Amino acid sequence: MKIFANGRRMHQASTRVSATFALVAAILGAAGFVCELRADYRMAPGDIVEVSVFGKAELARRGPIDIDGNFGLPLVGSVTLSGLSLAEAQHAIAAKLLARNMMQDASVAIHVSEYRPVFIRGDVAAPKSYPFLPGLTVRHAIAMAGGFGASTGNEAGDSKIDRRAEYLATRLEMSAVEAKLNRLRFELDGKGGEAEAGTLVLPSAHGDIEDSVTKLEALQLQSRQSHLDATLRTLKILSGFTDDQLIALEQQRKQSEESVSLQVDEVGKVRTMFGKGLTTSTRVTDEQRALAVLKTQLLGNIAQSAEARRLRAELDRKITETSDLRRTELLSMIQEATLTREKLRLRLAASARKLAGPGDAGIAQNGAGPALSIKIFRNDSGSSLHLEADEDTVLAPGDVVDIRFGLEPARNSATKSD
């Protein structure tokens, strides 16, 4: 009886160890850092989401919400996510699992890995769709679209405005690339941890737009560095945890070997007694069955130990690769950004020469220039909204931004002078 009780305790311990390995594997398979919108953000068709269920790796999936607002999960089917917040989506998926008798009290994790793109049209250099990022403003969207394009008006006015718009757009691109280079160099040197509450002192260009771009790069630097530090810290914690599991498994293996050895002796004794007619064949069969169970547990323990050693080696490899891959990526990005900066420098010099042409001094002195009209078309929970906006308006996923760029009436300048 003691041997069977010992076997049950070993089986329970093995079950706990298996659950631990499942947790480690789930964390290792997690994706990179994703910056979420506020908690009440409502998902919609076109958003790409990632869903995972603790303890059910086969249910994990990354994909888009389809045009009907549904998201397909393996073995579960379609779940309607459109119009739901992240918390509501978690409850909906957990309820689906419960309804299908697959899991009770399921721990569901869900986040939006890619939001619906924003669409920029009108008087910009490259009107098309662009990836959405939390915190994106109209000003940033114009920069992504290459700055202002051709404006409306008379031919002479267009020529002057276009030259100024070309110069400002190129300067903005130049500032953005400079800010990116600074951020990449800081990140390469491991200085991202110097940020405080979303701010970081970086060499900045002049002007509000350039300052905004620099602040965004600083925030990205802080986020990427924090994510790298958290990833390495998690991997090291898991590595130490796996070492503890290996020690526990080794102790279990020794106990299993001792139990098997004792049971082998017990089987030999019972067989001897059976040969002398002192016990029944049923007793012999029971002892042999107990020996088979103990041997199976020992083999399972050996297999778990092998898996733990494999996992430990995988963690060591990931710790090394995480730092090496990040450095290689940063060096490649710095090289590309440096080349882009030199190209922009040539464009900026050429644009400055154009801007110095006849007639532009008058525009600068009189204050006459392009009058910017910005409208946002937004679908909010099925309702279409038409919003008047300015360059500091924060965009939402799926927004259509209409940029119209025309000549400002001359009387505006006179009014300001008065």
Side-chain angles (χ1 to χ4, degrees), residues 286-350:
D286 289 343
E287 296 298 337
Q288 289 176 335
R289 185 179 295 113
L291 178 60
V293 170
L294 291 173
K295 286 183 176 180
T296 300
Q297 292 176 352
L298 177 59
L299 291 175
N301 181 266
I302 292 173
Q304 285 184 334
S305 296
E307 175 63 15
R309 285 190 291 272
R310 185 200 67 77
L311 185 58
R312 180 67 171 80
E314 178 70 10
L315 286 167
D316 289 342
R317 183 184 65 81
K318 281 185 174 291
I319 290 173
T320 302
E321 282 187 353
T322 298
S323 298
D324 291 347
L325 288 176
R326 175 63 64 84
R327 181 173 180 82
T328 301
E329 176 190 7
L330 288 173
L331 289 172
S332 176
M333 293 171 69
I334 288 174
Q335 182 180 17
E336 181 180 352
T338 301
L339 180 61
T340 301
R341 181 187 61 183
E342 296 307 312
K343 291 180 179 178
L344 286 172
R345 184 172 292 168
L346 295 174
R347 278 176 50 192
L348 190 63

Side-chain angles (χ1 to χ4, degrees), residues 42-45 82-83 116 376-387 396-400:
R42 301 284 171 174
M43 292 176 286
S82 180
R116 289 163 287 150
I376 296 176
F377 302 88
R378 178 176 297 169
N379 189 328
D380 187 9
S381 301
S383 301
S384 296
L385 303 179
H386 295 179
L387 308 175
D399 278 354
V400 177

Side-chain angles (χ1 to χ4, degrees), residues 247-258:
I247 294 173
L249 286 169
E250 181 62 21
Q251 293 175 348
Q252 289 182 24
R253 183 187 64 78
K254 291 180 180 179
Q255 292 176 1
S256 294
E257 289 177 345
E258 292 174 0

Side-chain angles (χ1 to χ4, degrees), residues 134-203:
L136 185 72
T137 65
V138 172
R139 193 187 308 276
H140 305 142
I142 292 173
M144 291 166 60
F148 300 117
S151 58
T152 58
N154 59 66
E155 184 177 350
D158 282 349
S159 177
K160 297 172 182 178
I161 294 171
D162 287 346
R163 288 199 296 271
R164 173 175 290 185
E166 180 185 359
Y167 175 80
L168 293 176
T170 305
R171 192 183 72 175
L172 180 60
E173 288 183 68
M174 185 77 168
S175 299
V177 172
E178 288 285 2
K180 181 177 181 179
L181 271 172
N182 287 328
R183 188 259 298 173
L184 292 172
R185 292 191 183 106
F186 266 75
E187 190 172 352
L188 186 64
D189 295 337
K191 296 181 179 179
E194 297 178 4
E196 295 182 1
T199 62
L200 182 66
V201 177
L202 287 175

Side-chain angles (χ1 to χ4, degrees), residues 183 187 220-228 326 329:
R183 188 259 298 173
E187 190 172 352
Q220 186 174 358
L221 167 62
Q222 183 188 29
S223 297
R224 284 173 61 89
Q225 188 65 41
S226 297
H227 175 60
L228 176 62
R326 175 63 64 84
E329 176 190 7

